[in-house]
mmCIF file of all heavy atoms in Angstrom:
data_model
loop_
_atom_site.group_PDB
_atom_site.id
_atom_site.type_symbol
_atom_site.label_atom_id
_atom_site.label_comp_id
_atom_site.label_asym_id
_atom_site.label_seq_id
_atom_site.Cartn_x
_atom_site.Cartn_y
_atom_site.Cartn_z
ATOM 1 N N THR U 150 15.089 8.105 19.919
ATOM 2 C CA THR U 150 15.704 7.678 18.665
ATOM 3 C C THR U 150 15.574 8.770 17.612
ATOM 4 O O THR U 150 16.526 9.062 16.873
ATOM 5 C CB THR U 150 15.049 6.384 18.156
ATOM 6 O OG1 THR U 150 15.284 5.339 19.097
ATOM 7 C CG2 THR U 150 15.633 5.973 16.813
ATOM 8 N N THR U 151 14.404 9.378 17.530
ATOM 9 C CA THR U 151 14.201 10.452 16.552
ATOM 10 C C THR U 151 15.140 11.610 16.825
ATOM 11 O O THR U 151 15.776 12.152 15.907
ATOM 12 C CB THR U 151 12.740 10.933 16.592
ATOM 13 O OG1 THR U 151 11.868 9.826 16.341
ATOM 14 C CG2 THR U 151 12.501 12.001 15.543
ATOM 15 N N LEU U 152 15.247 12.023 18.091
ATOM 16 C CA LEU U 152 16.129 13.126 18.445
ATOM 17 C C LEU U 152 17.586 12.758 18.193
ATOM 18 O O LEU U 152 18.357 13.550 17.637
ATOM 19 C CB LEU U 152 15.920 13.510 19.911
ATOM 20 C CG LEU U 152 16.762 14.679 20.427
ATOM 21 C CD1 LEU U 152 16.468 15.943 19.638
ATOM 22 C CD2 LEU U 152 16.509 14.907 21.908
ATOM 23 N N HIS U 153 17.992 11.557 18.596
ATOM 24 C CA HIS U 153 19.366 11.105 18.387
ATOM 25 C C HIS U 153 19.687 11.031 16.898
ATOM 26 O O HIS U 153 20.764 11.452 16.452
ATOM 27 C CB HIS U 153 19.549 9.734 19.040
ATOM 28 C CG HIS U 153 20.904 9.131 18.840
ATOM 29 N ND1 HIS U 153 22.055 9.716 19.300
ATOM 30 C CD2 HIS U 153 21.291 7.980 18.215
ATOM 31 C CE1 HIS U 153 23.094 8.952 18.984
ATOM 32 N NE2 HIS U 153 22.656 7.913 18.323
ATOM 33 N N LEU U 154 18.748 10.539 16.111
ATOM 34 C CA LEU U 154 18.947 10.381 14.677
ATOM 35 C C LEU U 154 19.073 11.735 13.992
ATOM 36 O O LEU U 154 19.979 11.962 13.185
ATOM 37 C CB LEU U 154 17.774 9.593 14.091
ATOM 38 C CG LEU U 154 17.950 8.944 12.722
ATOM 39 C CD1 LEU U 154 18.999 7.854 12.774
ATOM 40 C CD2 LEU U 154 16.623 8.371 12.244
ATOM 41 N N THR U 155 18.161 12.650 14.301
ATOM 42 C CA THR U 155 18.132 13.937 13.609
ATOM 43 C C THR U 155 19.166 14.920 14.142
ATOM 44 O O THR U 155 19.509 15.877 13.453
ATOM 45 C CB THR U 155 16.737 14.581 13.714
ATOM 46 O OG1 THR U 155 16.383 14.711 15.094
ATOM 47 C CG2 THR U 155 15.691 13.726 13.033
ATOM 48 N N THR U 156 19.672 14.680 15.351
ATOM 49 C CA THR U 156 20.654 15.597 15.928
ATOM 50 C C THR U 156 22.075 15.115 15.691
ATOM 51 O O THR U 156 22.935 15.870 15.239
ATOM 52 C CB THR U 156 20.426 15.752 17.441
ATOM 53 O OG1 THR U 156 19.128 16.304 17.659
ATOM 54 C CG2 THR U 156 21.473 16.668 18.053
ATOM 55 N N ASP U 157 22.354 13.852 15.974
ATOM 56 C CA ASP U 157 23.727 13.364 16.004
ATOM 57 C C ASP U 157 24.127 12.521 14.801
ATOM 58 O O ASP U 157 25.304 12.207 14.648
ATOM 59 C CB ASP U 157 23.960 12.524 17.272
ATOM 60 C CG ASP U 157 23.786 13.343 18.539
ATOM 61 O OD1 ASP U 157 24.401 14.413 18.604
ATOM 62 O OD2 ASP U 157 23.031 12.925 19.419
ATOM 63 N N ILE U 158 23.171 12.122 13.971
ATOM 64 C CA ILE U 158 23.522 11.219 12.869
ATOM 65 C C ILE U 158 23.198 11.829 11.516
ATOM 66 O O ILE U 158 24.076 12.082 10.704
ATOM 67 C CB ILE U 158 22.832 9.843 13.043
ATOM 68 C CG1 ILE U 158 23.304 9.189 14.357
ATOM 69 C CG2 ILE U 158 23.170 8.930 11.872
ATOM 70 C CD1 ILE U 158 22.713 7.821 14.620
ATOM 71 N N VAL U 159 21.928 12.087 11.240
ATOM 72 C CA VAL U 159 21.553 12.628 9.936
ATOM 73 C C VAL U 159 20.347 13.547 10.102
ATOM 74 O O VAL U 159 19.241 13.089 10.347
ATOM 75 C CB VAL U 159 21.272 11.497 8.913
ATOM 76 C CG1 VAL U 159 20.298 10.476 9.452
ATOM 77 C CG2 VAL U 159 20.783 12.072 7.583
ATOM 78 N N ALA U 160 20.590 14.872 9.997
ATOM 79 C CA ALA U 160 19.528 15.865 10.194
ATOM 80 C C ALA U 160 18.782 16.072 8.888
ATOM 81 O O ALA U 160 18.878 17.105 8.239
ATOM 82 C CB ALA U 160 20.130 17.179 10.685
ATOM 83 N N MET U 161 17.996 15.091 8.486
ATOM 84 C CA MET U 161 17.324 15.105 7.187
ATOM 85 C C MET U 161 15.837 15.355 7.367
ATOM 86 O O MET U 161 15.207 14.769 8.253
ATOM 87 C CB MET U 161 17.536 13.770 6.476
ATOM 88 C CG MET U 161 16.951 13.711 5.078
ATOM 89 S SD MET U 161 17.323 12.150 4.270
ATOM 90 C CE MET U 161 16.524 12.409 2.687
ATOM 91 N N PRO U 162 15.242 16.229 6.544
ATOM 92 C CA PRO U 162 13.800 16.465 6.652
ATOM 93 C C PRO U 162 13.005 15.182 6.454
ATOM 94 O O PRO U 162 13.391 14.299 5.685
ATOM 95 C CB PRO U 162 13.530 17.460 5.510
ATOM 96 C CG PRO U 162 14.844 18.117 5.252
ATOM 97 C CD PRO U 162 15.883 17.079 5.528
ATOM 98 N N LEU U 163 11.897 15.082 7.165
ATOM 99 C CA LEU U 163 10.956 13.955 7.095
ATOM 100 C C LEU U 163 11.534 12.659 7.662
ATOM 101 O O LEU U 163 10.859 11.636 7.634
ATOM 102 C CB LEU U 163 10.474 13.710 5.661
ATOM 103 C CG LEU U 163 9.678 14.853 5.008
ATOM 104 C CD1 LEU U 163 9.294 14.478 3.582
ATOM 105 C CD2 LEU U 163 8.437 15.194 5.811
ATOM 106 N N ILE U 164 12.776 12.681 8.183
ATOM 107 C CA ILE U 164 13.356 11.449 8.713
ATOM 108 C C ILE U 164 12.591 10.965 9.933
ATOM 109 O O ILE U 164 12.595 9.783 10.271
ATOM 110 C CB ILE U 164 14.858 11.657 9.049
ATOM 111 C CG1 ILE U 164 15.571 10.309 9.261
ATOM 112 C CG2 ILE U 164 15.010 12.533 10.252
ATOM 113 C CD1 ILE U 164 15.699 9.490 8.036
ATOM 114 N N TRP U 165 11.862 11.883 10.603
ATOM 115 C CA TRP U 165 11.090 11.509 11.787
ATOM 116 C C TRP U 165 9.992 10.507 11.448
ATOM 117 O O TRP U 165 9.526 9.779 12.333
ATOM 118 C CB TRP U 165 10.471 12.752 12.425
ATOM 119 C CG TRP U 165 9.556 13.504 11.505
ATOM 120 C CD1 TRP U 165 9.896 14.525 10.673
ATOM 121 C CD2 TRP U 165 8.155 13.279 11.310
ATOM 122 N NE1 TRP U 165 8.803 14.961 9.965
ATOM 123 C CE2 TRP U 165 7.720 14.216 10.336
ATOM 124 C CE3 TRP U 165 7.231 12.396 11.852
ATOM 125 C CZ2 TRP U 165 6.398 14.277 9.903
ATOM 126 C CZ3 TRP U 165 5.909 12.466 11.424
ATOM 127 C CH2 TRP U 165 5.509 13.386 10.470
ATOM 128 N N VAL U 166 9.584 10.460 10.187
ATOM 129 C CA VAL U 166 8.532 9.531 9.786
ATOM 130 C C VAL U 166 8.997 8.081 9.961
ATOM 131 O O VAL U 166 8.208 7.204 10.306
ATOM 132 C CB VAL U 166 8.114 9.790 8.326
ATOM 133 C CG1 VAL U 166 7.160 8.712 7.822
ATOM 134 C CG2 VAL U 166 7.467 11.160 8.203
ATOM 135 N N VAL U 167 10.286 7.833 9.730
ATOM 136 C CA VAL U 167 10.795 6.447 9.738
ATOM 137 C C VAL U 167 10.711 5.825 11.129
ATOM 138 O O VAL U 167 10.131 4.739 11.283
ATOM 139 C CB VAL U 167 12.228 6.404 9.182
ATOM 140 C CG1 VAL U 167 12.763 4.968 9.208
ATOM 141 C CG2 VAL U 167 12.254 6.953 7.752
ATOM 142 N N PRO U 168 11.283 6.443 12.189
ATOM 143 C CA PRO U 168 11.159 5.798 13.507
ATOM 144 C C PRO U 168 9.728 5.672 13.985
ATOM 145 O O PRO U 168 9.359 4.658 14.587
ATOM 146 C CB PRO U 168 11.988 6.697 14.433
ATOM 147 C CG PRO U 168 12.199 7.965 13.699
ATOM 148 C CD PRO U 168 12.151 7.643 12.251
ATOM 149 N N LEU U 169 8.892 6.679 13.724
ATOM 150 C CA LEU U 169 7.500 6.586 14.148
ATOM 151 C C LEU U 169 6.775 5.469 13.396
ATOM 152 O O LEU U 169 5.983 4.720 13.982
ATOM 153 C CB LEU U 169 6.795 7.922 13.933
ATOM 154 C CG LEU U 169 5.332 7.995 14.384
ATOM 155 C CD1 LEU U 169 5.180 7.570 15.840
ATOM 156 C CD2 LEU U 169 4.783 9.406 14.185
ATOM 157 N N GLY U 170 7.071 5.334 12.112
ATOM 158 C CA GLY U 170 6.469 4.250 11.341
ATOM 159 C C GLY U 170 6.898 2.881 11.842
ATOM 160 O O GLY U 170 6.080 1.955 11.938
ATOM 161 N N LEU U 171 8.180 2.726 12.173
ATOM 162 C CA LEU U 171 8.658 1.436 12.700
ATOM 163 C C LEU U 171 8.014 1.119 14.044
ATOM 164 O O LEU U 171 7.693 -0.040 14.336
ATOM 165 C CB LEU U 171 10.184 1.469 12.836
ATOM 166 C CG LEU U 171 10.978 1.507 11.529
ATOM 167 C CD1 LEU U 171 12.463 1.660 11.810
ATOM 168 C CD2 LEU U 171 10.724 0.245 10.701
ATOM 169 N N TYR U 172 7.840 2.149 14.865
ATOM 170 C CA TYR U 172 7.183 1.954 16.164
ATOM 171 C C TYR U 172 5.759 1.431 15.971
ATOM 172 O O TYR U 172 5.327 0.487 16.647
ATOM 173 C CB TYR U 172 7.183 3.278 16.918
ATOM 174 C CG TYR U 172 6.359 3.287 18.188
ATOM 175 C CD1 TYR U 172 6.840 2.708 19.354
ATOM 176 C CD2 TYR U 172 5.107 3.893 18.215
ATOM 177 C CE1 TYR U 172 6.091 2.722 20.523
ATOM 178 C CE2 TYR U 172 4.352 3.914 19.371
ATOM 179 C CZ TYR U 172 4.845 3.327 20.525
ATOM 180 O OH TYR U 172 4.091 3.334 21.678
ATOM 181 N N LEU U 173 5.023 2.004 15.037
ATOM 182 C CA LEU U 173 3.648 1.557 14.786
ATOM 183 C C LEU U 173 3.626 0.146 14.208
ATOM 184 O O LEU U 173 2.796 -0.684 14.589
ATOM 185 C CB LEU U 173 2.954 2.530 13.834
ATOM 186 C CG LEU U 173 2.732 3.947 14.374
ATOM 187 C CD1 LEU U 173 2.207 4.856 13.281
ATOM 188 C CD2 LEU U 173 1.776 3.926 15.560
ATOM 189 N N LEU U 174 4.554 -0.136 13.296
ATOM 190 C CA LEU U 174 4.592 -1.475 12.699
ATOM 191 C C LEU U 174 4.992 -2.542 13.718
ATOM 192 O O LEU U 174 4.663 -3.722 13.544
ATOM 193 C CB LEU U 174 5.566 -1.492 11.519
ATOM 194 C CG LEU U 174 5.113 -0.728 10.271
ATOM 195 C CD1 LEU U 174 6.200 -0.763 9.205
ATOM 196 C CD2 LEU U 174 3.812 -1.309 9.718
ATOM 197 N N SER U 175 5.693 -2.119 14.774
ATOM 198 C CA SER U 175 6.069 -3.104 15.795
ATOM 199 C C SER U 175 4.836 -3.712 16.452
ATOM 200 O O SER U 175 4.831 -4.894 16.824
ATOM 201 C CB SER U 175 6.973 -2.454 16.849
ATOM 202 O OG SER U 175 6.239 -1.578 17.702
ATOM 203 N N PHE U 176 3.766 -2.928 16.606
ATOM 204 C CA PHE U 176 2.525 -3.467 17.160
ATOM 205 C C PHE U 176 1.903 -4.493 16.218
ATOM 206 O O PHE U 176 1.307 -5.468 16.667
ATOM 207 C CB PHE U 176 1.522 -2.334 17.411
ATOM 208 C CG PHE U 176 1.807 -1.512 18.627
ATOM 209 C CD1 PHE U 176 2.343 -0.242 18.512
ATOM 210 C CD2 PHE U 176 1.538 -2.008 19.894
ATOM 211 C CE1 PHE U 176 2.591 0.526 19.629
ATOM 212 C CE2 PHE U 176 1.790 -1.243 21.024
ATOM 213 C CZ PHE U 176 2.319 0.023 20.892
ATOM 214 N N VAL U 177 2.042 -4.250 14.922
ATOM 215 C CA VAL U 177 1.480 -5.180 13.941
ATOM 216 C C VAL U 177 2.143 -6.544 14.080
ATOM 217 O O VAL U 177 1.474 -7.578 14.073
ATOM 218 C CB VAL U 177 1.653 -4.629 12.514
ATOM 219 C CG1 VAL U 177 1.100 -5.605 11.487
ATOM 220 C CG2 VAL U 177 0.961 -3.275 12.378
ATOM 221 N N ALA U 178 3.477 -6.539 14.205
ATOM 222 C CA ALA U 178 4.190 -7.809 14.362
ATOM 223 C C ALA U 178 3.947 -8.423 15.737
ATOM 224 O O ALA U 178 3.766 -9.638 15.866
ATOM 225 C CB ALA U 178 5.688 -7.591 14.140
ATOM 226 N N ALA U 179 3.938 -7.580 16.778
ATOM 227 C CA ALA U 179 3.823 -8.094 18.146
ATOM 228 C C ALA U 179 2.443 -8.647 18.450
ATOM 229 O O ALA U 179 2.306 -9.597 19.236
ATOM 230 C CB ALA U 179 4.182 -6.998 19.144
ATOM 231 N N PHE U 180 1.376 -8.073 17.862
ATOM 232 C CA PHE U 180 0.011 -8.488 18.165
ATOM 233 C C PHE U 180 -0.568 -9.417 17.099
ATOM 234 O O PHE U 180 -1.772 -9.660 17.091
ATOM 235 C CB PHE U 180 -0.880 -7.253 18.334
ATOM 236 C CG PHE U 180 -0.783 -6.624 19.696
ATOM 237 C CD1 PHE U 180 0.379 -6.009 20.118
ATOM 238 C CD2 PHE U 180 -1.855 -6.655 20.570
ATOM 239 C CE1 PHE U 180 0.487 -5.437 21.369
ATOM 240 C CE2 PHE U 180 -1.773 -6.084 21.836
ATOM 241 C CZ PHE U 180 -0.596 -5.478 22.235
ATOM 242 N N ALA U 181 0.280 -9.921 16.220
ATOM 243 C CA ALA U 181 -0.196 -10.865 15.207
ATOM 244 C C ALA U 181 -0.477 -12.224 15.854
ATOM 245 O O ALA U 181 0.266 -12.659 16.747
ATOM 246 C CB ALA U 181 0.844 -11.020 14.103
ATOM 247 N N PRO U 182 -1.540 -12.925 15.423
ATOM 248 C CA PRO U 182 -1.825 -14.249 15.991
ATOM 249 C C PRO U 182 -0.698 -15.247 15.753
ATOM 250 O O PRO U 182 -0.420 -16.102 16.596
ATOM 251 C CB PRO U 182 -3.114 -14.671 15.268
ATOM 252 C CG PRO U 182 -3.716 -13.402 14.764
ATOM 253 C CD PRO U 182 -2.573 -12.486 14.467
ATOM 254 N N ASP U 183 -0.045 -15.141 14.592
ATOM 255 C CA ASP U 183 1.090 -16.002 14.287
ATOM 256 C C ASP U 183 2.321 -15.434 14.994
ATOM 257 O O ASP U 183 2.766 -14.328 14.691
ATOM 258 C CB ASP U 183 1.315 -16.045 12.773
ATOM 259 C CG ASP U 183 2.351 -17.093 12.365
ATOM 260 O OD1 ASP U 183 3.182 -17.473 13.216
ATOM 261 O OD2 ASP U 183 2.317 -17.538 11.199
ATOM 262 N N ARG U 184 2.874 -16.171 15.919
ATOM 263 C CA ARG U 184 3.938 -15.657 16.771
ATOM 264 C C ARG U 184 5.341 -15.893 16.213
ATOM 265 O O ARG U 184 6.329 -15.506 16.839
ATOM 266 C CB ARG U 184 3.870 -16.319 18.168
ATOM 267 C CG ARG U 184 2.513 -16.282 18.825
ATOM 268 C CD ARG U 184 1.985 -14.858 18.957
ATOM 269 N NE ARG U 184 2.854 -14.037 19.771
ATOM 270 C CZ ARG U 184 2.996 -12.730 19.622
ATOM 271 N NH1 ARG U 184 2.357 -12.096 18.657
ATOM 272 N NH2 ARG U 184 3.786 -12.049 20.428
ATOM 273 N N ARG U 185 5.451 -16.492 15.029
ATOM 274 C CA ARG U 185 6.779 -16.838 14.525
ATOM 275 C C ARG U 185 7.624 -15.597 14.227
ATOM 276 O O ARG U 185 8.820 -15.560 14.545
ATOM 277 C CB ARG U 185 6.646 -17.705 13.274
ATOM 278 C CG ARG U 185 6.194 -19.144 13.568
ATOM 279 C CD ARG U 185 5.983 -19.926 12.290
ATOM 280 N NE ARG U 185 4.855 -19.394 11.507
ATOM 281 C CZ ARG U 185 4.441 -19.916 10.358
ATOM 282 N NH1 ARG U 185 5.060 -20.973 9.857
ATOM 283 N NH2 ARG U 185 3.412 -19.384 9.719
ATOM 284 N N ALA U 186 7.035 -14.584 13.613
ATOM 285 C CA ALA U 186 7.802 -13.375 13.293
ATOM 286 C C ALA U 186 8.277 -12.686 14.565
ATOM 287 O O ALA U 186 9.440 -12.265 14.662
ATOM 288 C CB ALA U 186 6.945 -12.427 12.461
ATOM 289 N N ALA U 187 7.393 -12.560 15.553
ATOM 290 C CA ALA U 187 7.779 -11.913 16.810
ATOM 291 C C ALA U 187 8.884 -12.703 17.511
ATOM 292 O O ALA U 187 9.807 -12.108 18.094
ATOM 293 C CB ALA U 187 6.564 -11.781 17.719
ATOM 294 N N ALA U 188 8.811 -14.034 17.452
ATOM 295 C CA ALA U 188 9.840 -14.859 18.094
ATOM 296 C C ALA U 188 11.192 -14.681 17.411
ATOM 297 O O ALA U 188 12.234 -14.584 18.070
ATOM 298 C CB ALA U 188 9.419 -16.323 18.071
ATOM 299 N N LEU U 189 11.182 -14.620 16.076
ATOM 300 C CA LEU U 189 12.433 -14.431 15.337
ATOM 301 C C LEU U 189 13.041 -13.070 15.656
ATOM 302 O O LEU U 189 14.250 -12.955 15.902
ATOM 303 C CB LEU U 189 12.165 -14.558 13.839
ATOM 304 C CG LEU U 189 13.361 -14.278 12.917
ATOM 305 C CD1 LEU U 189 14.484 -15.272 13.188
ATOM 306 C CD2 LEU U 189 12.942 -14.318 11.451
ATOM 307 N N ILE U 190 12.219 -12.037 15.668
ATOM 308 C CA ILE U 190 12.715 -10.694 15.971
ATOM 309 C C ILE U 190 13.251 -10.634 17.398
ATOM 310 O O ILE U 190 14.248 -9.963 17.680
ATOM 311 C CB ILE U 190 11.596 -9.658 15.754
ATOM 312 C CG1 ILE U 190 11.250 -9.584 14.262
ATOM 313 C CG2 ILE U 190 12.001 -8.282 16.270
ATOM 314 C CD1 ILE U 190 10.028 -8.752 13.956
#
């Protein structure tokens, strides 16, 4: 996603932070005891 984003869509500095941040936050939602957010997603 980072390569596709920075190569074919928008080659913007620091844009790599966004996909990596979303990847890390996905664990927060997925491993939360309350499963409602993960189910909705």
Side-chain angles (χ1 to χ4, degrees):
T150 297
T151 303
L152 181 60
H153 177 62
L154 198 65
T155 56
T156 298
D157 297 309
I158 299 181
V159 51
M161 184 177 180
L163 297 179
I164 195 68
W165 59 269
V166 172
V167 179
L169 182 54
L171 291 175
Y172 171 78
L173 295 173
L174 289 177
S175 73
F176 283 105
V177 179
F180 278 67
D183 189 338
R184 309 303 299 150
R185 287 176 294 181
L189 176 62
I190 293 171

